[in-house]
Amino acid sequence: MLWVSHRCPGCPTDASHHTCHIAWLPPNPCTRDLRPQDILEEVVPLNGAVSGIQMVQAEGVRGLQFSAAEPRAVSFPASRIFSSCDLFPEEFSIIVTLRVPDLPPKKNEYLLSLVAEERDTLLLGLRVSPTQLHFLFLSEDLAGAWQTRVSFRSPSLVDSQWHTLILAVSQGSFSLTTDCGLPVDIMADVPFPATLSVRGARFFVGSRKRTKGLFTGLMRQLVLLPGSDATPRLCPSRNAQLAELSIPRMLQRLTEKPDDNEVLKYPYDADMKVTLGSRPPCTKAEGSQFWFDAARRGLYLCAGSEWVSVLAAKAKLDYVEEHQRLHTNSETLGIEVFAIPGVGLFAATANRKARSAIYKWTDGKFVPYQNIATHQAQSWRHFTIGKKIFLAVANFGPNERGQEFSVIYKWNPRKLKFTLYQRIATHSARDWEAFVVDGEHFLVVANHREGRTGVAHDPEGNHSWGRAYSTSSFHNHAHKIYMCTFGAADWEVFHIGERVFLAVANSHSYNVEMHVQNDSYILSSVIYELNVTAQTFVKFQDIPTCSALDWEFFSVGEDHFLVVANSFDGNSFSVNSIIYRWQGYEGFVAVHRLPTFGCRDWEAFNTTAGSYLIYSSAKEPLSRVLRLRTG
């Protein structure tokens, strides 16, 4: 209320003869209600289900981000808060808590605007640029109307940090307080109008009614306080950058600043649900939903139709279980698992008889996809050149005409099949390797024999006496490293941290001067480690094996493993293949024994559903997919 003194009409002008009266005048209805008007609360319902608004958490603090799709969705009529009067208050404060990104030069983004819709005229606006905060308002007199701008220099705003601003307007004075610091006062030539009509006007948050100039940062608080300077109500504050007068209920949970690896510092929608328990379905209908796997302590986000890990669980291998029995065209000598972007995961089996097959991972299992004619296929090799995808098969036997060819197939994205690309003359081919040197692509084949010479099993080594080559540059002479091997069937190179290892699978100890003994298949395979200083591999560990034909290195969580394909103990093909876990100083220690029959090849692969191993059998038309159960 307001008390004023005035002279009675007709009273003498002599002060000693007149009587003064004290009168009460009714308050201006536009400033009668001095409660904070939460502008953000007006545009965001409790459930946050508004087109164009997303709730995002940054530095442990929730804010709102606005979409350019439909600015009108984040607006409301001015009559909603000015129900008693059509005039904007002459004195007021605007409080905003925001996080501004690094804006390009000359870029202006609107935080708030009040627009007379019929004329599309800006009545009031608050916008930010890389170096200034601008307050705009419409001024009118008998000469016409024009826009007035009051600019505060504030380059520290554009630092991707949270800040709270208090703009106080009173007659011809404009004051800006940032994070409860010292105010910056400006006495403008043009005062804020005492009679600014808001009839037919509309508030727009984060825009000026159009997509141009949309605010791209985060906003946590936007409050209009009529008739008062809000600074004493917020300052001083223990957390001045987040000083609060009023914030929407959906943002009222203020979390502490998370650790650098905490998932909550990343954007997430407000209209989200988190499912606890067993794996729920993930389809487009459940898009942008979280699932918390309490057993594995993992947090996953439904993106598209797959659960994507956003907070990696520290998985540990508990046990291995059979997941699928994959019936093959015949005995399988090698398996290659590979992915084709946008198409899926595949496995190619090298089958002993006339047809090899390609399988596609569908609904959690491998299903037949394509058959390819081969001749005692030994292995497949997948490789890419640019965007082109290839599969090379190593054929051990001759074709119907007695010719020995291995074949390269190319993926046809139109037919969604592999088609013949090139035949290459080989001699009882065992394996292919693809590699790149100085941008050039190479493909090398391991021929088992040509006439009566050579017995190579793997292009990385010989079947009897193995040689590995180490070089820092292909322009220098290769440095030869000789290793004693026994029927070396496979080499596996792998890294653990900065350490480099080389594992050789020894298949048998055979001496031409004596008959083959049963125990010649029970021998050690060897793991070597690279000595960087000496530029040579030195023996690291001997591991007892039974005619080992393959090593496969894989990781589960923070643990590293090697699995060996044991194929024959001199009496039976039913032998255990073994998974070894890396235990640092202790080396590789056996942790799982897997019953296998004539095991020839191992492949490890991952899907959104988990981690798997698949092995091929050279003695039966059956391969097995094993699932790695983690906890």
Side-chain angles (χ1 to χ4, degrees):
M1 62 181 61
L2 181 65
W3 293 90
V4 298
S5 62
H6 66 95
R7 195 187 330 269
C8 296
C11 290
T13 57
D14 186 351
S16 62
H17 294 91
H18 79 269
T19 301
C20 291
H21 299 270
I22 304 298
W24 176 83
L25 298 179
N28 185 330
C30 296
T31 58
R32 180 189 308 160
D33 189 355
L34 300 182
R35 294 179 305 172
Q37 302 294 326
D38 194 332
I39 305 297
L40 281 185
E41 183 78 19
E42 295 294 334
V43 298
V44 183
L46 282 177
N47 62 2
V50 173
S51 173
I53 296 181
Q54 183 184 25
M55 186 167 71
V56 173
Q57 189 154 306
E59 299 178 281
V61 180
R62 289 181 175 183
L64 298 179
Q65 191 172 57
F66 307 106
S67 166
E70 183 51 66
R72 191 175 182 84
V74 193
S75 69
F76 64 94
S79 59
R80 188 182 299 175
I81 61 175
F82 293 111
S83 57
S84 303
C85 177
D86 289 336
L87 298 179
F88 199 90
E90 184 180 1
E91 297 184 351
F92 61 92
S93 294
I94 296 177
I95 304 97
V96 56
T97 300
L98 74 173
R99 188 174 186 264
V100 185
D102 185 13
L103 298 178
K106 299 182 180 181
K107 175 76 171 179
N108 281 274
E109 296 184 349
Y110 276 88
L111 306 176
L112 173 70
S113 65
L114 178 61
V115 180
E117 288 209 280
E118 188 173 332
R119 296 177 290 162
D120 193 25
T121 301
L122 181 69
L123 304 179
L124 177 148
L126 189 64
R127 75 187 189 199
V128 64
S129 71
T131 59
Q132 292 179 307
L133 181 78
H134 307 282
F135 177 58
L136 306 97
F137 57 90
L138 186 71
S139 298
E140 294 183 279
D141 60 14
L142 295 176
W146 66 94
Q147 188 180 95
T148 299
R149 183 179 70 193
V150 180
S151 299
F152 297 88
R153 183 167 177 79
S154 188
S156 61
L157 281 182
V158 189
D159 59 0
S160 297
Q161 301 292 320
W162 287 104
H163 296 286
T164 295
L165 312 178
I166 305 172
L167 174 67
V169 178
S170 176
Q171 298 179 347
S173 173
F174 302 85
S175 175
L176 178 66
T177 301
T178 303
D179 299 336
C180 289
L182 294 175
V184 177
D185 298 317
I186 295 178
M187 300 299 294
D189 295 334
V190 179
F192 189 82
T195 55
L196 180 64
S197 175
V198 296
R199 179 175 296 177
R202 194 173 188 90
F203 280 102
F204 288 85
V205 178
S207 76
R208 189 249 184 266
K209 193 185 175 180
R210 53 181 69 102
T211 57
K212 182 180 179 180
L214 183 83
F215 180 54
T216 58
L218 301 180
M219 193 179 301
R220 175 174 173 80
Q221 179 176 220
L222 182 60
V223 179
L224 171 66
L225 181 63
S228 177
D229 181 355
T231 307
R233 301 181 63 166
L234 281 83
C235 305
S237 172
R238 290 184 177 180
N239 192 355
Q241 291 180 294
L242 296 167
E244 292 180 5
L245 182 62
S246 177
I247 61 173
R249 280 164 284 183
M250 65 179 292
L251 297 177
Q252 287 178 1
R253 185 175 70 85
L254 174 66
T255 65
E256 296 296 329
K257 183 175 180 180
D259 296 332
D260 289 340
N261 63 345
E262 188 174 344
V263 70
L264 292 180
K265 74 177 182 180
Y266 297 105
Y268 66 101
D269 291 335
D271 188 25
M272 279 194 173
K273 66 179 182 180
V274 179
T275 302
L276 181 66
S278 58
R279 181 188 298 267
C282 175
T283 64
K284 292 183 179 180
E286 287 85 21
S288 298
Q289 302 300 314
F290 279 117
W291 164 53
F292 181 69
D293 186 349
R296 300 179 60 195
R297 296 183 179 90
L299 184 64
Y300 302 86
L301 174 66
C302 180
S305 59
E306 296 183 351
W307 288 109
V308 178
S309 174
V310 292
L311 180 59
K314 291 185 179 180
K316 289 187 177 295
L317 180 59
D318 283 344
Y319 60 94
V320 181
E321 66 179 7
E322 184 173 291
H323 178 75
Q324 178 188 5
R325 293 192 172 196
L326 182 62
H327 294 276
T328 54
N329 295 333
S330 63
E331 301 91 331
T332 302
L333 301 180
I335 290 183
E336 179 84 340
V337 178
F338 58 95
I340 297 179
V343 182
L345 183 74
F346 294 85
T349 59
N351 297 119
R352 187 186 299 275
K353 294 185 179 177
R355 291 184 309 158
S356 292
I358 298 173
Y359 301 84
K360 183 179 180 183
W361 186 262
T362 306
D363 295 329
K365 292 188 177 182
F366 282 116
V367 298
Y369 187 81
Q370 181 181 358
N371 282 324
I372 294 179
T374 54
H375 304 281
Q376 298 182 44
Q378 303 290 298
S379 65
W380 287 96
R381 184 65 62 200
H382 161 263
F383 61 97
T384 61
I385 300 177
K387 294 183 179 181
K388 299 176 181 178
I389 301 169
F390 299 91
L391 266 183
V393 63
N395 283 325
F396 187 82
N399 60 16
E400 296 79 4
R401 298 179 181 179
Q403 302 167 318
E404 291 190 37
F405 288 104
S406 290
V407 185
I408 300 173
Y409 296 87
K410 180 183 175 184
W411 175 255
N412 187 317
R414 184 175 57 85
K415 296 181 179 179
L416 296 178
K417 286 187 176 182
F418 282 97
T419 57
L420 192 149
Y421 179 77
Q422 183 179 359
R423 290 187 177 93
I424 297 178
T426 54
H427 306 281
S428 300
R430 289 283 194 177
D431 196 15
W432 286 101
E433 284 293 337
F435 58 94
V436 180
V437 178
D438 294 333
E440 291 191 68
H441 294 264
F442 294 88
L443 196 62
V444 59
V445 65
N447 287 317
H448 182 63
R449 58 177 170 77
E450 182 173 359
R452 294 179 177 269
T453 64
V455 285
H457 263 210
D458 188 294
E460 297 170 347
N462 290 335
H463 185 53
S464 54
W465 284 88
R467 295 181 182 179
Y469 295 88
S470 171
T471 177
S472 58
S473 170
F474 279 86
H475 300 292
N476 297 331
H477 293 292
H479 175 55
K480 296 182 180 180
I481 304 170
Y482 290 89
M483 302 174 182
C484 181
T485 60
F486 301 90
D490 180 63
W491 295 95
E492 180 81 351
V493 179
F494 58 93
H495 298 251
I496 298 179
E498 296 182 355
R499 302 172 70 174
V500 181
F501 295 90
L502 178 64
V504 60
N506 287 324
S507 63
H508 65 270
S509 176
Y510 179 74
N511 190 321
V512 295
E513 296 179 355
M514 52 186 300
H515 295 292
V516 176
Q517 303 295 321
N518 287 349
D519 59 3
S520 66
Y521 296 97
I522 302 176
L523 70 166
S524 290
S525 292
V526 184
I527 300 173
Y528 299 89
E529 182 177 6
L530 177 64
N531 185 316
V532 178
T533 303
Q535 285 292 293
T536 188
F537 280 94
V538 296
K539 182 182 290 189
F540 175 78
Q541 184 178 359
D542 285 310
I543 294 183
T545 53
C546 300
S547 190
L549 297 179
D550 183 53
W551 283 107
E552 178 77 0
F553 176 79
F554 63 96
S555 298
V556 176
E558 298 178 355
D559 293 328
H560 307 291
F561 299 88
L562 274 174
V563 59
V564 66
N566 285 326
S567 64
F568 184 59
D569 63 5
N571 295 303
S572 174
F573 295 103
S574 294
V575 293
N576 288 332
S577 291
I578 300 176
I579 296 178
Y580 299 87
R581 182 172 61 207
W582 170 251
Q583 294 190 184
Y585 178 78
E586 299 177 67
F588 286 91
V589 177
V591 290
H592 296 281
R593 287 171 169 78
L594 312 174
T596 54
F597 183 72
C599 185
R600 180 65 181 264
D601 190 19
W602 282 102
E603 286 285 305
F605 63 96
N606 297 302
T607 73
T608 55
S611 299
Y612 300 84
L613 290 171
I614 183 173
Y615 85 85
S616 65
S617 171
K619 296 300 175 183
E620 62 177 350
L622 183 68
S623 293
R624 286 176 169 83
V625 180
L626 309 179
R627 183 167 183 175
L628 306 178
R629 287 293 185 181
T630 58

